[in-house]
Amino acid sequence: SAGSYYEALGVAPGAGAGELKAAFEARSSASGGALVAAREAFDALSHSGKRRRYDALEADVQQRLGGGPGGRAAAAPTAAAAAAAVLTPIGLAGRRGPSSASAATSPATAASPAAAVAVPTA
């Protein structure tokens, strides 16, 4: 399941810069999704402005889901929805390309007129 950036690094929300760096370095030998999650978490949490925005947005998401600060919601959003809600406002979401929602509504990806033409079958 998708967790917070703090969970991705295995640190407490009050962790200092040294603890964040040590946690990231400990996870740098990971591969695949774990490494991507650790790198993304370290990038957001190691910059004070991004961290403040992340903490504020995470608290807002938890409050909207009914979990309140420090609590867990009864039904968590999908990982993609949670990531988009938190990462887009702090400038991290665009790194992997457009989301499926924006791609689906983009004029460049709209169905062509040829796709709407019925092809007779024999």
Side-chain angles (χ1 to χ4, degrees), residues 73-110:
T78 65
V86 173
L87 298 178
T88 299
I90 62 174
L92 295 175
R95 292 185 176 188
R96 294 187 198 149
S99 70
S100 59
S102 65
T105 59
S106 168
T109 59

Side-chain angles (χ1 to χ4, degrees), residues 17-119:
E19 191 176 349
L20 290 171
K21 184 176 181 179
F24 175 69
E25 288 173 352
R27 284 157 177 75
S28 65
S29 62
S31 63
L35 178 60
V36 170
R39 184 176 294 134
E40 194 171 276
F42 181 73
D43 182 52
L45 298 178
S46 64
H47 296 91
S48 63
K50 289 180 183 179
R51 186 174 184 170
R52 278 192 305 274
R53 289 188 297 263
Y54 172 78
D55 288 343
L57 289 168
E58 185 179 58
D60 183 55
V61 168
Q62 288 300 319
Q63 184 177 20
R64 288 174 188 251
L65 294 174
R72 293 275 180 196
T78 65
V86 173
L87 298 178
T88 299
I90 62 174
L92 295 175
R95 292 185 176 188
R96 294 187 198 149
S99 70
S100 59
S102 65
T105 59
S106 168
T109 59
S112 69
V117 175
V119 178

